[in-house]
Amino acid sequence: PPIYPCPTVGPTVHGLPSVSPPTIPAYANFETPTYPVPTSNAQMGPDPKLHEQPKLPLQNFQQKESHSTMHNAPEDRNANASPTKRQGTTKEGSRRSARQDQNPGVRIPPSAHTVEGISQPVDPDTRPQEQNTKHKKKSLSPKKVRQRKGGRTSPQGNPRVEPEDAPKDDLGDLRRSELVESPATRNMFKEFYRSFRSKEKLSFSTAEDFALESLKNKSLPTKVHWRVFLELADLAKRANKFGEARRLYRHVCQLQPYASHGWLEYSKLEEESGNIERCSKILRLGLKYCELNENLMTRSIKLEEKNGQPNKARQILARLKHVGIDQVWRTVLEGALLEARAGNDVMARRVLKYLMHHVPWYGPLYLEAYRLEKDLGRWKDALAIVERGLDSIPRYGPLWFGAFRLCEGLDMAAAQYHLPRAMSLVQRATKCISRELVWKVHLDAAQMMERIFCRYKYEKATSQDGRSDIAECRRRFAMTVMTCPSNLCWKVWLAAGRMELIFGRIPQARKLFFRAYGVVPDKGKATTLLECARLEEFVGDVDLARAILCKARSETGSDWKVWLESIMVEVRCENKSRAKSLAYKALETHSGTGRLWSALIQLCYEDGVQIQSRCLKHALLSVPKSGEVWCEGARLHLNPFLPTFDLEQARQHLTFSTRFTPQYGDSFIETVRLELLTHWLSPVAERLAEEIKLKKPTNFDDLNDIYDVMRDSFLVVVAATQRQKTDLTCDFIHLVEEVRQKLHINLSRMSSVQSSLSLRCSNADPNYGFLWFHCREGPTDTARDVLERATKTITEEMRIHAAVHVAALVRWKLLQDGLQRDLSGLQRVGNKFENMIQKHMALLESPISGSDFATGIVALNQFQPLHKMSPIKRRKHLFGSDSLLA
């Protein structure tokens, strides 16, 4: 189990106050897991140490800080002071306080406008000790204690600012008490906020002037001034004034360090600016003031995990060891998810089991435990967790729908195509689930039956058994319509139309789609028209599909999906020139849509690598955080026919792609291709290049020498993989058997790489992508299942075309050593490579070209007309990429 040591050094941030490190508690040396989990299944009762709350004597205010578990006593506190004695205030400090009452408006000090800039630390514990010891110590009367704790008010009704030489504990308590606002104060801020937002609609400068005027004219109490500065900081951030935003966020943290909002927003600004280390320090400093704040701890844990430092995240979780689970169970849940994402499923399972015992009423907890077991392939354990959750909260909908997927998968694995488990669970759900979700239960039942029919019973559609299944599916759709809310009926009509389409009832499908169009709200019209266009393309009427899409573009031009579907229709008709013109026109309106840029980059392949690279650069300038665009850049560097073939550049592009858009599944499938090239074929290419260079002296600046090495490598791999006779010289015949063995050994060593990639993909849980939907057979498939299926497909295709990939790898390695890598030189080498492949095409199993390697799966890159596909495959090709009703 992981060990969570407590941090011993307090973080500091440039321009923010530093805090002394807390006293290391006695539990810093761990001998047991820091998560308060039972050591056996029998010990599921609460640990008395975990729920032991500290005693806070109300009659002794001065002892509150020393006994509280929320704040550790600082090391620099005066040890000689009596527990019942505190420092009093001086007359001079009282006079300063009275002057501040007369002008309660807060102004950012000049020092806050510099980068270093914030005044002395707001935490009284960080103030030099000499300021606190120069006055005589006085014991405070109960009346003064109440005044300091609750805060005096000025004649204008604003909270009174305490003098700077006030006792440290009292000033800290005063700042915390300011977070509790009276109803009058809340109403005043609400009025300001409404006016501020209305001014913001006019212009940012108008809103800023209004906020500054509100700070000066005493219309807001001093205790909420930090909220005003927080709004001003957000305004400056959205106006791209990042320097001003930083200064304002610093001032917010100075005015009210015990409010987590300022620390959170400040950290978001630094993270978005790329200052990850500074963001981490800000969060850790915020946790010094808000020690058990859930949002700060969760964000800190995720940030450290994102930086690849899970041990630091575990250090943050170590603070929860002796805190009652009822206070920190959400943060402990985040720790369990951290362990699950790190692959430590044993610890994650123990923590989730502990939480399910202590927090049985929280539905998402069961959902996370169910997903963990399902992802690991332990479907029966996942079903047991779901049943346990349904016993505790029988009306929680997501658990029921998760149970449907589990039972459907178990029935399919047992070849029970009548779905006895799933249908029994459906009957239970209609009696227990919320009435608002009954319609979705019937819809799920209908779609389960439809999927089973399409996968296993389509050939028996005319039999008695097949007709009864079709009738039952229609009955479920009818029950869905009867129980569905009126504003969602259009989705049910579309789902029923898809069902009739696969059963071959085209007129009925058209009627259902037309009925959906009649009741759909305005925001769903584009989706309905897309379905109608796909229907007409399914039956072969492409002209009518184009007309429907033209209508959709004119009526709902703001939806980028309409433009994308228009482009894809032309691509499927092999009319790429019109598809490209539609892509350019779409980007005039939707220049920030990555999927449109991705389609345009693919369409530019026939124009040459220079045009394609230029289009990629424009796309990255327009949408720098689009995972789809970065994935297209990786494909440019993974195509063996292109002169831009480069594994290092491809890895960099795929890293950005999976980080910016983790839900895009094609990025992970392309990563599979990259890992196979790196760990399977690249060692073979290195060995061949070294051996051939020993036999033939090579000038790396001579294209003819590079061509000879590529040709010999190509012929060796062809002889090793396809066992065909080649015109290979006798000097390299001994390499054939060696290459054959290396290919087998290197592939067997891929398991560790595949395991790491599978864990990353499972954590991201992708849900769309052309390659992803091709490898996904149904909703019951997990991310690991889809990736494993893609790996098998790509491995088999790469085995067939191993000679092409090895020759490209040899070319890449030789170019790294010699020829200058300008685009014109690379283009000449690429032309020679393509000529070599064409010359020896008879040695390959099938004719290939560069377009066959545009994406990771060769079979999908080869054009196949829709009318030659089976109805099941045609439906998946047209409708499978839309998860509207999944």
Side-chain angles (χ1 to χ4, degrees):
I3 302 299
Y4 299 151
C6 287
T8 57
V9 179
T12 60
V13 182
H14 187 61
L16 284 175
S18 60
V19 180
S20 302
T23 304
I24 301 178
Y27 59 87
N29 297 322
F30 293 111
E31 297 180 358
T32 59
T34 56
Y35 286 127
V37 294
T39 57
S40 66
N41 293 337
Q43 299 176 355
M44 290 302 297
D47 189 351
K49 291 184 179 180
L50 295 175
H51 298 278
E52 184 179 7
Q53 299 295 331
K55 298 180 180 179
L56 302 178
L58 298 178
Q59 65 272 20
N60 192 351
F61 171 78
Q62 287 78 10
Q63 293 180 358
K64 181 176 180 180
E65 280 284 310
S66 61
H67 286 279
S68 174
T69 59
M70 299 285 289
H71 303 281
N72 292 324
E75 296 177 353
D76 60 348
R77 185 165 296 173
N78 190 352
N80 298 326
S82 173
T84 59
K85 297 283 187 178
R86 295 293 176 186
Q87 297 171 358
T89 59
T90 62
K91 294 182 179 180
E92 182 181 356
S94 300
R95 286 194 294 270
R96 285 199 301 267
S97 177
R99 288 195 299 270
Q100 291 176 1
D101 288 341
Q102 297 174 4
N103 187 13
V106 176
R107 180 176 60 86
I108 300 180
S111 60
H113 289 276
T114 62
V115 177
E116 292 78 7
I118 204 165
S119 57
Q120 291 298 318
V122 295
D123 192 347
D125 295 340
T126 62
R127 187 175 291 112
Q129 189 171 358
E130 290 76 14
Q131 296 183 10
N132 293 328
T133 57
K134 65 180 180 179
H135 303 292
K136 291 184 178 181
K137 302 171 185 175
K138 295 182 180 180
S139 60
L140 300 178
S141 63
K143 180 178 180 181
K144 286 189 174 291
V145 169
R146 288 193 300 269
Q147 289 175 352
R148 293 192 184 282
K149 186 176 180 180
R152 288 186 177 182
T153 57
S154 64
Q156 290 82 7
N158 296 327
R160 184 169 181 172
V161 180
E162 294 295 328
E164 294 182 358
D165 55 356
K168 297 180 289 186
D169 297 333
D170 298 349
L171 187 54
D173 287 332
L174 175 63
R175 291 296 174 86
R176 295 187 191 96
S177 67
E178 289 177 353
L179 293 173
V180 181
E181 300 172 356
S182 64
T185 302
R186 285 196 296 269
N187 290 334
M188 293 172 68
F189 184 77
K190 285 180 181 179
E191 291 296 330
F192 160 79
Y193 187 77
R194 293 192 192 100
S195 302
F196 181 77
R197 290 303 175 195
S198 63
K199 301 287 185 183
E200 182 183 339
K201 293 178 181 179
L202 301 176
S203 68
F204 283 1
S205 59
T206 304
E208 182 180 4
D209 294 340
F210 171 75
L212 295 176
E213 183 63 26
S214 300
L215 291 172
K216 294 179 182 178
N217 62 12
K218 308 176 185 179
S219 60
L220 290 172
T222 308
K223 66 192 307 182
V224 297
H225 280 190
W226 68 274
R227 291 184 179 274
V228 179
F229 282 111
L230 190 63
E231 296 298 330
L232 285 172
D234 179 67
L235 194 69
K237 175 183 173 182
R238 286 184 284 125
N240 295 330
K241 300 177 181 178
F242 299 115
E244 182 68 20
R246 284 188 179 92
R247 289 191 288 270
L248 289 167
Y249 279 132
R250 288 195 204 105
H251 194 59
V252 170
C253 296
Q254 178 192 12
L255 287 176
Q256 185 49 271
Y258 297 101
S260 62
H261 307 76
W263 301 105
L264 283 171
E265 295 301 326
Y266 192 7
S267 66
K268 288 178 183 178
L269 173 65
E270 296 297 346
E271 183 180 12
E272 292 170 0
S273 301
N275 302 324
I276 304 299
E277 184 63 27
R278 184 178 176 84
C279 173
S280 176
K281 290 181 178 180
I282 289 171
L283 289 171
R284 292 172 64 187
L285 184 57
L287 285 172
K288 297 296 179 180
Y289 297 97
C290 315
E291 290 186 349
L292 298 180
N293 184 269
E294 176 188 329
N295 294 328
L296 279 176
M297 296 196 77
T298 301
R299 183 164 176 78
S300 299
I301 291 168
K302 289 183 177 180
L303 182 68
E304 299 299 346
E305 180 189 7
K306 186 177 179 180
N307 293 338
Q309 296 178 334
N311 287 333
K312 287 189 176 181
R314 294 182 178 116
Q315 290 176 7
I316 297 171
L317 289 165
R319 309 177 183 192
L320 311 179
K321 184 173 177 64
H322 289 317
V323 183
I325 192 64
D326 56 330
Q327 301 179 40
V328 295
W329 63 268
R330 290 181 183 272
T331 310
V332 173
L333 174 59
E334 188 59 39
L337 299 181
L338 165 70
E339 300 298 346
R341 291 190 292 265
N344 192 357
D345 53 280
V346 176
M347 175 60 75
R349 189 178 294 114
R350 289 181 62 195
V351 178
L352 289 171
K353 183 178 180 181
Y354 176 79
L355 289 173
M356 283 187 289
H357 175 76
H358 287 278
V359 196
W361 46 266
Y362 189 60
L365 179 58
Y366 297 96
L367 208 57
E368 295 296 343
Y370 138 77
R371 287 172 179 167
L372 173 65
E373 302 298 346
K374 180 185 175 183
D375 184 64
L376 295 173
R378 303 171 52 157
W379 286 51
K380 292 185 178 180
D381 293 340
L383 187 58
I385 290 173
V386 170
E387 291 287 357
R388 178 179 176 180
L390 292 176
D391 290 340
S392 301
I393 39 177
R395 297 174 65 84
Y396 187 60
L399 277 180
W400 285 107
F401 299 123
F404 295 160
R405 299 287 178 268
L406 286 173
C407 291
E408 180 185 358
L410 291 173
D411 288 339
M412 290 168 58
Q416 297 176 340
Y417 301 136
H418 291 285
L419 304 177
R421 293 190 186 187
M423 292 298 110
S424 174
L425 199 65
V426 166
Q427 295 300 325
R428 284 176 51 195
T430 55
K431 300 176 183 178
C432 300
I433 203 170
S434 304
R435 293 181 58 186
E436 296 81 5
L437 295 176
V438 172
W439 73 275
K440 202 167 187 315
V441 173
H442 292 305
L443 179 61
D444 268 30
Q447 291 182 327
M448 279 191 286
M449 300 181 68
E450 180 186 349
R451 287 191 292 269
I452 291 293
F453 179 85
C454 293
R455 291 183 65 176
Y456 302 106
K457 302 182 180 181
Y458 186 73
E459 293 78 9
K460 303 178 181 179
T462 57
S463 65
Q464 181 66 28
D465 189 22
R467 287 196 297 270
S468 64
D469 290 339
I470 294 173
E472 178 63 21
C473 188
R474 291 194 180 106
R475 188 179 72 85
R476 286 289 179 180
F477 272 113
M479 296 174 66
T480 305
V481 173
M482 294 171 60
T483 55
C484 178
S486 58
N487 63 323
L488 296 175
C489 277
W490 64 279
K491 291 188 176 183
V492 183
W493 296 126
L494 290 179
R498 286 187 179 186
M499 180 264 298
E500 297 294 348
L501 187 66
I502 200 60
F503 293 158
R505 294 160 56 95
I506 306 301
Q508 287 79 0
R510 281 197 179 101
K511 289 181 180 179
L512 290 169
F513 280 13
F514 184 74
R515 180 174 292 185
Y517 183 75
V519 298
V520 67
D522 291 339
K523 64 179 182 179
K525 279 190 175 181
T527 302
T528 308
L529 289 173
L530 286 179
E531 293 289 312
C532 296
R534 288 169 181 163
L535 168 64
E536 300 304 331
E537 190 178 2
F538 181 88
V539 300
D541 195 345
V542 180
D543 292 334
L544 183 54
R546 287 192 179 110
I548 294 173
L549 289 172
C550 182
K551 174 183 173 66
R553 291 196 301 271
S554 61
E555 291 185 357
T556 60
S558 60
D559 196 333
W560 61 267
K561 292 183 180 179
V562 175
W563 289 98
L564 182 61
E565 187 65 25
S566 302
I567 295 169
M568 297 310 299
V569 167
E570 302 302 334
V571 170
R572 288 190 287 264
C573 295
E574 288 193 295
N575 191 357
K576 294 188 178 180
S577 60
R578 177 167 171 78
K580 196 184 303 182
S581 63
L582 284 171
Y584 282 120
K585 192 171 182 180
L587 287 169
E588 293 177 1
T589 308
H590 306 282
S591 60
T593 305
R595 293 179 72 174
L596 291 176
W597 281 108
S598 173
L600 180 60
I601 294 170
Q602 290 186 10
L603 290 170
C604 290
Y605 176 82
E606 296 180 353
D607 297 334
V609 67
Q610 293 183 353
I611 301 296
Q612 203 173 11
S613 300
R614 194 180 307 152
C615 182
L616 175 63
K617 291 180 180 179
H618 283 296
L620 290 176
L621 289 174
S622 300
V623 279
K625 290 188 177 182
S626 171
E628 297 92 345
V629 175
W630 284 105
C631 184
E632 291 303 322
R635 285 169 173 164
L636 280 177
H637 296 294
L638 289 174
N639 192 329
F641 278 80
L642 295 181
T644 54
F645 182 84
D646 190 330
L647 298 188
E648 295 176 358
Q649 291 292 325
R651 185 174 298 279
Q652 182 180 7
H653 281 70
L654 286 174
T655 301
F656 289 144
S657 179
T658 53
R659 171 161 292 194
F660 291 144
T661 315
Q663 64 271 22
Y664 185 53
D666 286 12
S667 302
F668 291 97
I669 295 179
E670 295 295 342
T671 306
V672 170
R673 177 161 60 150
L674 173 64
E675 298 298 343
L676 286 171
L677 288 171
T678 304
H679 300 280
W680 184 28
L681 298 183
S682 184
V684 175
E686 289 180 0
R687 171 66 179 140
L688 286 175
E690 291 174 1
E691 189 69 20
I692 294 173
K693 284 189 294 184
L694 289 176
K695 301 290 183 181
K696 292 183 177 181
T698 303
N699 181 9
F700 295 134
D701 291 332
D702 190 347
L703 295 182
N704 294 324
D705 287 352
I706 294 177
Y707 171 80
D708 292 339
V709 177
M710 286 192 302
R711 182 198 59 200
D712 294 337
S713 302
F714 176 81
L715 295 176
V716 168
V717 179
V718 167
T721 56
Q722 302 183 18
R723 300 180 184 274
Q724 295 192 20
K725 293 183 178 180
T726 64
D727 55 352
L728 191 65
T729 60
C730 60
D731 295 335
F732 306 119
I733 293 179
H734 70 282
L735 293 174
V736 174
E737 186 61 30
E738 181 181 352
V739 167
R740 189 178 295 123
Q741 293 179 0
K742 275 186 171 293
L743 289 175
H744 177 72
I745 294 173
N746 293 342
L747 186 60
S748 63
R749 295 175 179 174
M750 285 289 297
S751 58
S752 60
V753 178
Q754 292 173 356
S755 176
S756 174
L757 179 60
S758 179
L759 178 62
R760 287 173 50 202
C761 183
S762 175
N763 294 337
D765 195 16
N767 53 25
Y768 77 98
F770 183 63
L771 304 184
W772 186 262
F773 280 116
H774 174 77
C775 299
R776 178 176 177 264
E777 294 183 353
T780 58
D781 289 343
T782 63
R784 293 177 187 265
D785 296 334
V786 178
L787 195 69
E788 182 180 359
R789 200 172 292 122
T791 302
K792 290 180 180 178
T793 302
I794 296 175
T795 303
E796 185 60 30
E797 292 181 344
M798 198 169 287
R799 189 193 302 274
I800 296 173
H801 305 294
V804 177
H805 289 292
V806 169
L809 287 166
V810 169
R811 178 191 66 191
W812 173 56
K813 293 180 181 300
L814 294 179
L815 289 175
Q816 283 183 321
D817 298 332
L819 187 70
Q820 289 185 355
R821 306 194 64 190
D822 57 281
L823 200 54
S824 59
L826 292 175
Q827 187 66 55
R828 292 195 300 273
V829 178
N831 294 336
K832 279 187 169 290
F833 179 86
E834 193 163 358
N835 293 335
M836 180 197 72
I837 300 296
Q838 294 295 333
K839 182 178 179 181
H840 299 87
M841 189 69 72
L843 299 176
L844 302 177
E845 293 186 2
S846 59
I848 56 173
S849 63
S851 60
D852 294 330
F853 298 93
T855 66
I857 299 180
V858 175
L860 292 181
N861 301 324
Q862 298 171 349
F863 177 75
Q864 184 179 6
L866 284 176
H867 65 274
K868 293 185 179 181
M869 298 180 184
S870 65
I872 298 293
K873 190 174 180 180
R874 195 187 319 162
R875 180 179 183 264
K876 182 179 180 181
H877 192 78
L878 289 173
F879 296 93
S881 59
D882 187 0
S883 59
L884 170 67
L885 302 169

